[in-house]
Amino acid sequence: MSETKKRLLISKWHDGAKRSEIERRMERLLFEVDTLNSAVGKLNDQDEEIETLKSDLEERDETIKELESERDARDDAAYGVLEDVKYWLHSGLVHHRLVSDPRQMLRKVEEVLR
C-alpha cells in the first residue's frame, strides 16, 4: 500500500473518530438542554404555585383583619355595657336610687352575652 493511500485511510478514520466524538458531545449537550428545559418548566410551575399561595395569604390576612375589627367592636360594646352596669350599681348602692329600669340593664347584659 502506498503512503498516500495510508494517509488517506488514516485521515478518513481520524475524521470519522472526530465526527463520532462530535456526535457524542452533541447528544450529551442535547440531553443537558432537555434537562435544563425540564428544570425551567418545574421552576415556572413552582413560581405559579408561589404566586397562588401569596394571593391566598393576602386574602386570609384581610379576613383576619376583618374578624379582628369585628371582635374589637364587640369588645367595645361589651365594655360600654359593663361601664353602664358599674355606674348603675354605683348609683343604686351609694345613692340608694336606681337611675334606670333594671330590665333595660338586664337586656343590655343579655345582648352582650349572646
Side-chain angles (χ1 to χ4, degrees):
M1 193 184 286
S2 73
E3 189 64 34
T4 307
K5 283 186 179 182
K6 284 182 184 178
R7 287 187 181 170
L8 183 60
L9 285 173
I10 290 173
S11 70
K12 283 184 181 180
W13 177 82
H14 191 61
D15 288 341
K18 284 182 182 178
R19 190 173 297 125
S20 67
E21 178 65 24
I22 290 171
E23 288 174 359
R24 276 189 304 198
R25 287 183 181 179
M26 286 298 292
E27 288 176 12
R28 189 174 57 219
L29 287 173
L30 289 174
F31 175 76
E32 289 175 2
V33 167
D34 288 341
T35 304
L36 286 174
N37 284 336
S38 175
V40 167
K42 288 178 184 177
L43 286 175
N44 288 336
D45 291 343
Q46 290 175 348
D47 285 345
E48 291 173 8
E49 289 179 28
I50 289 171
E51 290 302 319
T52 302
L53 291 173
K54 282 182 180 178
S55 66
D56 289 348
L57 183 62
E58 289 172 0
E59 289 175 12
R60 289 186 178 139
D61 284 345
E62 290 175 17
T63 303
I64 288 170
K65 287 179 184 176
E66 291 172 5
L67 291 172
E68 286 176 344
S69 66
E70 289 175 12
R71 181 200 62 207
D72 292 344
R74 283 192 313 266
D75 289 348
D76 290 343
Y79 185 77
V81 169
L82 287 176
E83 286 285 319
D84 291 346
V85 169
K86 177 178 109 176
Y87 289 116
W88 179 75
L89 287 172
H90 180 267
S91 294
L93 294 172
V94 174
H95 303 294
H96 302 290
R97 63 190 158 123
L98 294 176
V99 177
S100 64
D101 186 13
R103 290 177 292 212
Q104 288 178 338
M105 195 59 61
L106 182 61
R107 272 189 239 118
K108 286 182 179 183
V109 171
E110 286 175 343
E111 285 180 23
V112 168
L113 293 176
R114 286 187 205 159

